[in-house]
């Protein structure tokens, strides 16, 4: 009625109300009545939006690849984008007058396509499959500094490059090559495992032989040590025997020296006694016989004197007419002769 309508925006929508070409109010989540004939409304959504993309590109070695991903962005400066793009609503207050809001995603995707294409064209096919993260970071950085994007007040929140793939034939060729490489690696692994097992077996055999050699060397050392000990014992015994023989020799030498010394002493004593006897005999030769007899009788015992007396009687028996000897004389002499041997006999 009379063209009066009611408009209520979402909290995430920035609204600019213009009446007869003049800005009357602006802000997020506005609600108001308006005259459709004189009022225009620009509604800029400020919530996060997602722009998926698929790029068919060519690598440095002229191979076709497909890059798939998604860009998440939002309008950070709605006033700036409202001046550049047409976000005005129709008379109904629901749909847009132009297609600019619908083409915003295309604008972001086209800007990202140039960035991705420049990077892929510098990369070989094999290397292109592993640059997902690099491309995502590059899109994030390049869009943040892009003049057109910055002028529209758009903020890139996140960039994801989910897949980089080749055409089916190239993919099958790469799969076959990779399969052959994997099979070759498997064969190499089996060969390496066998080689390692043989090497380990060789090391074990060498260790066993080394152990046996060490044991034999130890046994040889023990045997040599035992022989050396026996030699040392024999050397010790021989040395002891030699020392014993040398001691006997020294003792016999000393004894020989002693015997020689004793012999010399006895010879000297005999010579001295012979000299003394000779001197006495020379002296006795000069004495008369009667003096010698007197000297001999002076040193004799009574029994010796009796024996000489009987001997003299026997020699002069023809001159003696009659001689009487009493039995008491012989009895006394016999008793004395019996007493003296008993006194000289050693006690038992």
């Amino acid at each position: 009625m009379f063209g009066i309508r009611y408009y209520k925006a979402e909290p995430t929508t920035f609204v600019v109300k213009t009446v007869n070409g003049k800005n009357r109010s602006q802000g997020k989540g506005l609600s108001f009545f308006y005259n459709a004939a004189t009022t225009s409304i620009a509604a800029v959504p400020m919530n996060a939006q997602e722009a998926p993309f698929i790029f068919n590109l060519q690598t440095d070695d002229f191979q076709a690849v497909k890059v798939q991903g998604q860009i998440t962005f939002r309008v950070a400066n709605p006033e700036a984008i409202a001046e550049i793009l047409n976000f005005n609503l129709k008379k109904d207050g629901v749909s847009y007058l132009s297609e600019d809001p619908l083409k915003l995603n295309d604008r972001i995707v086209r800007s990202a396509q140039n960035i991705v294409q420049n990077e892929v064209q510098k990369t070989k096919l094999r290397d292109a499959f592993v640059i997902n993260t690099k491309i995502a970071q590059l899109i994030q950085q390049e869009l943040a500094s892009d003049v057109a994007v910055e002028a529209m007040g758009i903020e890139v929140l996140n960039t994801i490059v989910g897949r980089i793939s080749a055409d089916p034939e190239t993919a099958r060729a790469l799969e076959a090559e990779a399969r052959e490489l994997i099979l070759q690696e498997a064969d190499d692994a089996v060969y390496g495992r066998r080689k390692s097992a043989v090497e380990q077996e060789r090391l074990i055999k060498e260790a066993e032989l080394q152990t046996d050699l060490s044991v034999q060397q130890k046994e040889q050392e023990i045997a040599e040590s035992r022989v050396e000990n026996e030699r040392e014992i024999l050397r010790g015994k021989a040395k002891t025997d030699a020392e014993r023989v040398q001691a006997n020799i020294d003792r016999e030498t000393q004894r020989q020296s002693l015997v020689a010394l004793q012999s010399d002493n006895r010879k000297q004593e005999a010579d001295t006694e012979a000299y003394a006897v000779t001197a006495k005999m020379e002296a006795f030769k000069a004495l008369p016989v009667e003096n010698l007899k007197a000297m001999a009788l002076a040193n004799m015992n009574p029994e010796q004197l009796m024996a000489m007396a009987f001997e003299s009687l026997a020699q002069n028996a023809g001159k003696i007419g009659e001689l009487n000897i009493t039995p008491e004389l012989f009895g006394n002499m016999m008793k004395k002769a019996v007493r003296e041997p008993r006194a000289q006999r050693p006690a038992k």
Side-chain angles (χ1 to χ4, degrees):
M1 183 178 182
F2 305 107
I4 303 299
R5 298 175 182 273
Y6 179 77
Y7 177 78
K8 183 179 183 306
E10 297 293 334
T12 58
T13 302
F14 186 86
V15 180
V16 179
K17 179 182 178 183
T18 304
V19 179
N20 295 325
K22 294 182 180 180
N23 190 350
R24 294 299 182 182
S25 61
Q26 62 182 18
K28 292 192 296 183
L30 297 180
S31 59
F32 51 84
F33 289 96
Y34 68 98
N35 187 351
T38 60
T39 304
S40 62
I41 301 173
V44 181
M46 298 183 66
N47 59 323
Q49 303 181 47
E50 295 179 350
F53 60 84
I54 298 177
F55 302 145
N56 293 315
L57 305 174
Q58 195 175 55
T59 62
D60 183 60
D61 48 359
F62 307 103
Q63 298 297 319
V65 294
K66 183 182 294 184
V67 181
Q68 300 180 14
Q70 178 177 288
I71 301 173
T72 302
F73 68 94
R74 75 180 187 89
V75 178
N77 189 352
E79 296 177 358
I81 199 171
E83 293 179 359
I84 297 175
L85 301 179
N86 186 4
F87 279 86
N88 290 331
L89 299 177
K90 293 181 179 180
K91 298 293 184 181
D92 58 5
V94 177
S95 57
Y96 288 103
L97 285 173
S98 69
E99 295 182 354
D100 287 351
L102 301 179
K103 294 180 179 180
L104 181 59
N105 288 3
D106 295 337
R107 293 174 183 269
I108 300 299
V109 169
R110 282 195 297 271
S111 298
Q113 183 176 3
N114 292 330
I115 299 171
V116 176
Q117 184 173 2
N118 292 334
E119 184 64 24
V120 171
Q121 287 178 351
K122 299 185 297 183
T123 307
K124 300 291 183 181
L125 177 63
R126 295 180 183 277
D127 299 331
F129 297 118
V130 293
I131 59 173
N132 305 51
T133 304
K134 181 180 179 180
I135 292 178
Q137 294 176 353
L138 191 61
I139 293 173
Q140 186 90 12
Q141 296 172 0
E142 294 291 335
L143 288 181
S145 60
D146 186 83
V147 177
V149 175
E150 186 177 1
M152 289 186 294
I154 294 175
E155 179 185 2
V156 179
L157 300 178
N158 188 26
T159 303
I160 298 174
V161 177
R163 182 182 180 187
I164 300 176
S165 59
D167 60 74
E169 293 183 359
T170 304
R172 283 194 295 271
L174 293 175
E175 289 175 0
E177 184 178 357
R179 187 183 303 108
E180 292 297 327
L181 182 61
I182 292 173
L183 293 176
Q184 183 178 357
E185 291 178 354
D187 294 339
D188 293 341
V190 173
Y191 172 76
R193 214 166 34 245
R194 292 179 179 176
K195 182 179 178 181
S196 178
V198 173
E199 184 67 20
Q200 293 295 328
E201 185 68 22
R202 184 182 64 81
L203 293 176
I204 293 172
K205 291 293 184 181
E206 289 181 355
E208 292 177 351
L209 293 176
Q210 187 66 30
T211 303
D212 295 339
L213 180 61
S214 299
V215 171
Q216 292 178 1
Q217 289 178 351
K218 291 296 182 182
E219 292 177 350
Q220 182 178 358
E221 291 177 359
I222 292 172
E224 291 177 354
S225 178
R226 185 180 296 110
V227 171
E228 187 63 26
N229 292 335
E230 292 177 356
R231 289 177 180 175
E232 289 295 331
I233 293 173
L234 293 176
R235 290 193 191 100
K237 290 182 178 179
K239 186 176 180 180
T240 303
D241 294 339
E243 291 177 352
R244 185 182 298 109
V245 171
Q246 186 64 38
N248 294 332
I249 292 172
D250 294 340
R251 185 168 57 253
E252 293 297 330
T253 302
Q254 293 177 358
R255 184 180 300 173
Q256 183 179 6
S257 300
L258 177 61
V259 170
L261 181 60
Q262 290 177 351
S263 177
D264 292 339
N265 293 335
R266 290 174 181 174
K267 184 177 180 181
Q268 290 179 3
E269 290 177 355
D271 292 341
T272 302
E273 292 178 355
Y275 177 77
V277 171
T278 303
K280 289 181 180 181
M281 293 301 294
E282 292 295 330
F284 290 156
K285 287 181 180 180
L287 293 176
V289 178
E290 290 79 6
N291 293 338
L292 292 175
K293 288 182 177 182
M295 291 175 61
L297 293 175
N299 293 324
M300 290 184 180
N301 295 326
E303 291 80 7
Q304 294 176 340
L305 293 174
M306 291 294 294
M308 289 184 65
F310 282 114
E311 182 181 359
S312 179
L313 291 175
Q315 291 177 358
N316 297 313
K319 298 179 179 180
I320 300 172
E322 184 179 355
L323 178 62
N324 292 322
I325 298 173
T326 61
E328 289 80 1
L329 178 59
F330 286 101
N332 291 330
M333 291 178 65
M334 291 300 293
K335 290 179 180 179
K336 187 176 182 181
V338 172
R339 284 197 305 268
E340 287 181 357
R342 287 183 178 179
Q344 295 176 359
R345 187 181 301 170
K348 296 183 179 180

